[in-house]
Amino acid sequence: MRLFAYFTPVILIMAYLSYVGIFEFGQTYTTIVLVAGLTLGISPQLLIHHLSDNAFKYYVLTALAVFIGVLGTTSKIGVYITFILAPLFSCLYFEPRLVLHTSALSYLIMSAAMYCNTGTRAEVLYAGRDWNFIFVAYLTGFTMEYIITTSLLYQLVKRARMMMDQRNSAEEASRLKSEFLSSMSHEIRTPMNAIIGMADVALHREMDDELRHEISIIKSSSAGLLEIINDILDLSRVEAGKVNIIPSAYSTAALADDMTSIVDARNTEHRVPIRYHIQPDMPAYLYGDAVRLRQVMLNFASNAIKYTDFGSIEVSLGCEPVDADTVNLVYSVKDTGQGIREEDQKKLFTMYAQFDTRRNHGKESAGIGLAISKAFIDCMGGTITVKSRYGVGSTFAFSVPQKITAAPAADAQPADSAVLYTAESARVLLVDDNDINREVLKALLAPLRLTVEEASDGQQAVTRACSRPYDLIFMDSHMPVMSGEEAAHAIRTADNINQATPIVAVTADAIAGVRERLIAGGMNDCITKPISPDALYAAVRRLLPPEKIQLQG
């Protein structure tokens, strides 16, 4: 509304020029323009805080209609401005009824002004004609134009309003969907954390081969379920156009080792012969999103394992030079499975696409893995190719440009997965409202020989943090009484002995942006449930004071 107030001096100048005869107004109209202009320019500043939003809309548009309604009778162009401009301004609110109300108001004001003005303005045009005849002639023409213009504006605004409502509904549905996925991610990952975590702990203990095999199956099946959960979350990101590619330096040797380990683990049930062809002279380190690359690699290999009943699978990984500091990372999976019909290949990367369902009955598939993989590769600037003959086999491959880079500083540390260190003098605080989650985390930390204390909510964590020092705090993000974010903020802002103590967020919420939000809220790092022992040991070693670490061997 400040814009209207800024026009007040302009309106006063126009009124003065009209008074001295530069404009064609008479003194009566000068007074009307002055009053309307001041009303439009000044009073909104006084009333904006006292009227409801809807009443204020009508007030401003009424003042506008008064002003341009009178102004419009001074010339033929002004009349057209009158019956178009006022309703047109009302269109900005995208309320169809407001267009009709404003148009009717503007029409009445213009008719009244025209009636007062006809005797002085129309005599030149209609000399000898009756005054009422002239007024009716003017009014009839303008009425027809008003009806046409208002009808068009009404239909346009009605359509625009409908589209806005649809967009708002879609945005609301998207917001509710994101909240639902975030909630379901937390609810599903919490028990998955217990299953996978305790399976990891059990596999590090002495047991007979049969029991180890059974627990390995539990872990492998849980990993498969976790992959489905991750696919659902990735699907929501793809549909929202919010695929996150987070590049960093990674080791090609580690990428190859991870890929073979994960594929072999997925093959424990089918036991399809797999031959690996890893290029030995690849650059040692590349810059890209290794997490997404592994995800696509596993998707291609998992599909090959799933649909290959006889024969074998060949997995290849290598690099093709592009220029001095860039290579194309090339990965392919060739199988002797059932193959894909030519007419189905065009729909391979479509969401929820499933083919040959009768033949593939019993082979679980949601039909979203390839579509998600293509979205990832596209975002990385790469390409995916498919070659397949029905009844013979298929070859899936991707090529992604990657920059050659140096080894990151963190890579100089030895691997943490082998637990090559202990920290017997370190004290950590575990904060989680779920007893099982605390039990899992304690069991995973047991090989480090830490002193572990527990708290069941954020308020207890803050109380403990104010009473004794800790070297590290693990904080669940979702808790009753006080959430992990609130507790971290309280510890960081209060004057206590743990104000600078590293805090690691432990969250089951894998939605994009959560990690960044938690770190911005005062956390030092973030671990996603189910907790990976490697990620856990790496975080502990990175955040504990160096003097607390005792290397083994």
Side-chain angles (χ1 to χ4, degrees):
M1 289 301 104
R2 291 181 180 178
L3 185 61
F4 289 113
Y6 293 154
F7 278 120
T8 301
V10 178
I11 295 170
L12 292 172
I13 293 171
M14 290 175 60
Y16 173 75
L17 295 176
S18 173
Y19 180 78
V20 298
I22 295 178
F23 291 156
E24 295 183 2
F25 294 128
Q27 291 187 2
T28 302
Y29 299 106
T30 299
T31 304
I32 295 174
V33 169
L34 177 61
V35 173
L38 289 175
T39 302
L40 180 64
I42 297 174
S43 58
Q45 294 293 313
L46 303 176
L47 297 179
I48 190 171
H49 298 297
H50 303 287
L51 294 178
S52 67
D53 182 61
N54 196 52
F56 186 71
K57 292 177 188 176
Y58 278 95
Y59 172 80
V60 172
L61 290 171
T62 300
L64 184 65
V66 170
F67 178 65
I68 65 177
V70 175
L71 183 66
T73 60
T74 63
S75 67
K76 188 171 180 63
I77 295 177
V79 171
Y80 282 99
I81 292 175
T82 302
F83 68 78
I84 292 177
L85 198 56
L88 198 59
F89 269 104
S90 69
C91 294
L92 299 177
Y93 291 108
F94 292 99
E95 295 181 7
R97 286 189 299 176
L98 196 61
V99 174
L100 295 179
H101 295 169
T102 307
S103 298
L105 183 61
S106 181
Y107 174 78
L108 291 174
I109 293 170
M110 190 203 70
S111 299
M114 186 184 299
Y115 183 83
C116 297
N117 205 23
T118 299
T120 58
R121 299 281 301 157
E123 289 178 355
V124 177
L125 299 176
Y126 297 98
R129 292 283 187 175
D130 180 69
W131 181 83
N132 289 322
F133 175 83
I134 297 170
F135 170 68
V136 172
Y138 271 140
L139 188 61
T140 301
F142 292 142
T143 300
M144 296 297 294
E145 293 169 343
Y146 241 88
I147 292 172
I148 295 171
T149 304
T150 302
S151 299
L152 289 174
L153 287 175
Y154 176 79
Q155 293 299 327
L156 287 173
V157 173
K158 185 178 180 180
R159 177 61 179 167
R161 184 70 186 189
M162 186 184 303
M163 293 175 67
M164 287 180 63
D165 290 342
Q166 290 174 348
R167 185 193 67 185
N168 292 337
S169 298
E171 290 176 351
E172 177 66 10
S174 178
R175 184 187 64 80
L176 293 174
K177 178 181 177 181
S178 296
E179 290 180 358
F180 171 77
L181 288 172
S182 177
S183 176
M184 290 306 298
S185 171
H186 182 268
E187 295 300 325
I188 295 174
R189 283 175 176 272
T190 296
M192 289 297 299
N193 180 54
I195 297 171
I196 296 178
M198 283 306 189
D200 274 320
V201 171
L203 288 172
H204 284 86
R205 295 177 178 171
E206 294 294 331
M207 65 183 74
D208 59 62
D209 292 341
E210 183 178 357
L211 182 58
R212 183 174 297 278
H213 174 68
E214 291 169 351
I215 295 177
S216 297
I217 291 175
I218 293 174
K219 182 179 178 181
S220 175
S221 299
S222 301
L225 178 57
L226 183 62
E227 182 188 345
I228 295 173
I229 297 170
N230 290 335
D231 279 348
I232 294 173
L233 294 176
D234 287 333
L235 171 63
S236 69
R237 298 187 187 110
V238 170
E239 289 181 335
K242 297 179 180 178
V243 177
N244 288 332
I245 300 299
I246 305 174
S248 62
Y250 65 89
S251 165
T252 53
L255 178 69
D257 289 343
D258 289 348
M259 180 267 295
T260 56
S261 298
I262 295 172
V263 172
D264 286 341
R266 187 57 51 88
N267 193 37
T268 52
E269 181 179 350
H270 292 77
R271 299 185 181 278
V272 181
I274 299 178
R275 294 192 293 271
Y276 295 100
H277 306 281
I278 310 298
Q279 183 179 329
D281 58 346
M282 287 190 295
Y285 291 90
L286 297 176
Y287 187 78
D289 193 334
V291 174
R292 297 303 191 194
L293 289 172
R294 278 194 295 266
Q295 192 170 342
V296 177
M297 290 175 176
L298 178 59
N299 177 258
F300 285 5
S302 295
N303 287 338
I305 293 170
K306 187 188 306 180
Y307 297 110
T308 301
D309 297 322
F310 305 99
S312 62
I313 297 172
E314 294 187 14
V315 179
S316 303
L317 178 64
C319 289
E320 297 175 349
V322 176
D323 53 41
D325 61 350
T326 307
V327 296
N328 281 330
L329 183 70
V330 181
Y331 174 81
S332 67
V333 177
K334 181 180 180 181
D335 64 58
T336 57
Q338 63 194 49
I340 305 164
R341 291 188 176 94
E342 186 174 351
E343 61 269 21
D344 290 335
Q345 293 180 28
K346 300 176 182 178
K347 300 179 286 185
L348 269 176
F349 300 102
T350 304
M351 287 291 187
Y352 315 113
Q354 294 182 331
F355 314 108
D356 215 352
T357 53
R358 179 175 297 180
R359 183 174 182 179
N360 295 329
H361 179 70
K363 297 179 179 180
E364 66 283 354
S365 173
I368 61 178
L370 285 176
I372 292 171
S373 295
K374 188 176 188 307
F376 289 160
I377 297 301
D378 287 347
C379 286
M380 289 186 274
T383 57
I384 290 181
T385 58
V386 180
K387 296 179 181 178
S388 183
R389 288 181 59 191
Y390 190 68
V392 176
S394 305
T395 301
F396 283 78
F398 70 73
S399 175
V400 176
Q402 304 279 272
K403 292 290 184 181
I404 301 172
T405 188
D411 248 44
Q413 296 182 357
D416 298 295
S417 58
V419 194
L420 301 178
Y421 68 94
T422 57
E424 297 182 26
S425 61
R427 178 185 288 111
V428 301
L429 176 64
L430 308 185
V431 188
D432 199 309
D433 62 303
N434 189 295
D435 296 340
I436 296 176
N437 284 340
R438 295 200 305 274
E439 192 69 26
V440 170
L441 193 51
K442 277 200 305 182
L444 291 173
L445 290 172
L448 303 182
R449 302 175 188 175
L450 302 159
T451 300
V452 177
E453 297 184 10
E454 302 178 41
S456 58
D457 60 58
Q459 186 60 61
Q460 287 187 19
V462 173
T463 302
R464 287 181 176 273
C466 292
S467 61
R468 65 185 308 170
Y470 294 98
D471 297 298
L472 188 59
I473 299 174
F474 288 94
M475 185 81 71
D476 183 35
S477 59
H478 291 272
M479 291 184 291
V481 183
M482 179 183 285
S483 70
E485 293 176 76
E486 294 170 337
H489 178 74
I491 293 172
R492 291 287 185 244
T493 55
D495 185 12
N496 65 79
I497 51 180
N498 288 291
Q499 193 173 33
T501 299
I503 302 176
V504 178
V506 182
T507 179
D509 192 347
I511 298 295
V514 171
R515 175 185 177 85
E516 291 76 11
R517 189 191 75 229
L518 292 173
I519 292 178
M523 310 286 193
N524 296 83
D525 202 351
C526 180
I527 296 176
T528 304
K529 298 175 184 176
I531 298 172
S532 162
D534 289 355
L536 178 65
Y537 300 147
V540 171
R541 181 168 183 183
R542 184 171 59 257
L543 296 174
L544 277 183
E547 63 273 13
K548 299 284 185 176
I549 302 293
Q550 295 90 42
L551 298 178
Q552 295 180 352

